[in-house]
């Protein structure tokens, strides 16, 4: 396997997840001469470790671009760190709402992602796609996937380079959320990004990572 | 003329304006059986009144969908009011920075737009496009165009129905802004919307207005 | 009566309202030589008109500084307009959630407030208090109070000058909201302002209005 | 020394810094039976390491509550991590604008703060002070102080417990920023918190840390 792209199942108040769509669309594609495998991870504290180990089967990928949804985000957000902390803002898809739990007991406080994050940002801006570097991926499953990837790569002493991109909502998701009758007042600003733009973003990130890892 | 769609020239720190792009693309199109004329207005306090009067030449349009750019906005923002106040957050393209000036001396405090704004919002959400109703179009040229349209339609006793949609940045604009080297720190969130989505939004708004005005 | 300061009852998810606190504290005070009467208005579409008429009893005030709470606001927000529209983001204290209803049938689209709004802003900044001018007071009871004041003053042909200040949450309110166990995720930023600062703000506004109306 | 409270010098576009004010006011105070020393750190990549080492002189403190200013923040923000990265959004007070530099070459990716962060948050909410837990202190000097504290405590094998609180602007700072004539448009929302509230916050944090470290 050359490149692994992971997305997540839908969760919370939406039945769609752009990271799943992108992973599905890119599965089987070739980008910059590299074969891409797309996989979808469960939004589940209990299951995510095994799921990640499974997609890392022999041979392990050279490059991992993990994806997730960041609601409220307006740009492609390039994560630099995953921390050893699960502290959920909302329950996962098993209904579990974890508070202040280490992801890997006695693990280091964090792992840094190893893709060329700044070069990816510059390539995205060059491609007309808003992007920013970020120092926190939160403490939900997205962060857990980063930390577990870092832990797995270190324990297996792999040379795999890995990174994580947080994606905004798709416009259709926001429209569906706004159309739902709520007791409570609606948020004023809910940014989104078209799936087409996000697909181009991930392709650009993979190509940039491929170019730098040769 | 059946439907007039107006956009604005670029202004401020960007050399593009989605409202201009949409007006240009829709010029000459037929939507819901109505002929659309697209025109671009100057970002100029001095010139906007005459420019608006010119595009209202004989015969006046049945429907006006005026457009403008709202930086920082994440959705299609449907304006319900234009007020009799020019109080500019930044200079216009003539370099004039107006403070607290009446647009029409002795005019009423505001005009309400007369398109079916709530029906347009619902049609946009139905079409998967984030949209919200707004009670202020600011006090720059966008607001001035609303107020002047209201004033002109009233003075000429026309039956023209008119409305205003504020559009977000295009992704390419945000990327260009972020790529510019700044002395100052960059904003964290700058929402955008693809031109394709905004085109669909304006077409949907025109079709909804047409259906309700028959 | 020289100066009338109105606040509102608590509403929504909080059992306090800074506008009520300020109105109560200032009731009976003398500011800039003027006698201040503080009154609290109901958060009720049905009752607000009569309540406002009652506090306007003989003799009518020379100056009205109406107050309300704007959740999410970070500054003292000086409202320039009230519009003829009730369109509630949440139910009022009678449980009524009005949608798109004129406050005064056949009334003009809006009334402009008549206090020296820009001078008040400058006086507030001078006093070290963050403040901004605003062109919409929303479409809830705060806006209704502005519109009804404008309507009443015009119909009675009074020389009363009136304005409206939106106040942020008090810190204690935000802390209480954050301490409530929610199913849903918590908002990231909820600005607030201390009651002491808001009291100084309203005193400064009254003094500025008094100085300009002599 | 029992408790060390550090603040920072002013930087950027403001000549005040609430973290400096708090450190100065608390210097010499006794909180929960512990003697507090307040010190002010330079906003300087070149000087901060030595400055921190100096305030750690014999005997080292039992508890460190480091403070800094987070512009745009609305609450007391309790930082859980400092990362091994200097990537400045604006130049420091020496005019140096560092990009992507490790603070300690070959250091671990991050240190976690060791104060009882969640208990501090609960104590703050209980005291009526808005507060939130945060997973990034940015990549400016505030973050550098966290990382350097973690590094120093580990290298010297100290039992010192340390944490970091990001403070909002003071209202007077925001008013001064808004009063400055700018070429560019002004931000809409700039939250602040009164110095009195921030002092109470830090006292509460010290008392909570003291209670838990006995």
């Amino acid at each position: 396997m050359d490149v692994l792209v992971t997305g997540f199942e839908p969760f919370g108040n939406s039945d769609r997840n752009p990271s799943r769509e992108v992973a599905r669309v890119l599965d089987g594609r070739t980008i910059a001469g590299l074969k891409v495998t797309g996989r979808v991870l469960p939004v589940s504290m209990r299951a995510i470790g095994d799921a990640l180990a499974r997609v890392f089967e022999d041979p392990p990928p050279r490059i991992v671009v993990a994806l997730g949804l960041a609601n409220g985000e307006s740009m492609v957000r390039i994560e630099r760190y995953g921390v050893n902390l699960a502290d959920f803002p909302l329950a996962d898809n098993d209904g579990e709402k974890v508070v202040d739990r280490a992801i890997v007991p006695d693990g280091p406080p964090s792992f840094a992602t190893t893709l060329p994050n700044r070069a990816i940002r510059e390539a995205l801006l060059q491609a007309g796609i808003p992007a920013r570097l970020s120092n926190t991926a939160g403490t939900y499953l997205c962060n857990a996937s980063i930390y577990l990837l870092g832990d797995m790569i270190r324990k297996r002493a792999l040379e795999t380079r890995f990174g994580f991109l947080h994606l905004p909502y798709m416009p259709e998701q926001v429209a569906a959320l706004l159309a739902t009758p709520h007791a409570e007042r609606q948020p004023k600003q809910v940014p989104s990004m078209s799936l087409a733009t996000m697909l181009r973003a991930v392709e650009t990130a993979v190509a940039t990572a491929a170019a730098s890892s040769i």
Side-chain angles (χ1 to χ4, degrees), chain A residues 28-61:
Chain A
R29 286 266 185 90
T30 297
I31 299 175
L34 300 180
K35 183 74 184 304
V36 176
T37 303
R39 291 289 179 264
V40 179
L41 299 172
V43 177
S44 158
M45 193 69 222
R46 195 175 40 72
I48 189 166
D50 286 353
L52 266 174
R54 243 185 337 264
V55 297
F56 241 77
E57 265 158 27
D58 216 41

Side-chain angles (χ1 to χ4, degrees), chain A residues 69-196:
Chain A
L69 166 63
N71 67 358
E73 178 60 50
S74 60
M75 308 193 193
V76 174
R77 200 168 107 198
I78 304 161
E79 299 297 349
R80 299 203 263 207
Y81 295 97
V83 295
N84 192 11
L85 180 65
D87 184 24
F88 287 5
L90 75 170
D92 68 13
N93 287 351
D94 299 329
E96 202 184 358
K97 194 166 183 304
V98 181
V99 176
D100 281 359
R101 188 192 302 168
I103 295 168
V104 175
D106 303 315
S110 73
F111 287 106
T113 55
T114 52
L115 290 186
N117 291 320
R118 186 170 294 274
I120 289 172
R121 179 178 189 245
E122 270 153 34
L124 291 173
L125 294 185
Q126 203 69 30
I129 302 170
R132 66 185 185 102
L133 295 165
S134 163
N135 304 302
T136 175
T139 54
Y140 197 52
L141 272 307
C142 290
N143 170 70
S145 73
I146 301 174
Y147 191 86
L148 287 166
L149 281 167
D151 186 58
M152 201 154 54
I153 290 165
R154 191 192 51 155
K155 283 183 178 155
R156 305 186 185 188
L158 299 173
E159 300 200 347
T160 302
R161 301 196 69 181
F162 77 110
F164 190 97
L165 303 182
H166 255 127
L167 303 176
Y169 278 128
M170 294 178 285
E172 301 78 11
Q173 286 183 285
V174 175
L177 291 170
L178 296 172
T180 311
H182 287 289
E184 275 308 296
R185 58 181 70 193
Q186 295 203 337
K188 236 178 181 169
Q189 298 293 351
V190 190
S192 59
M193 188 176 273
S194 72
L195 182 57

Side-chain angles (χ1 to χ4, degrees), chain A residues 176 199 201:
Chain A
L199 269 168

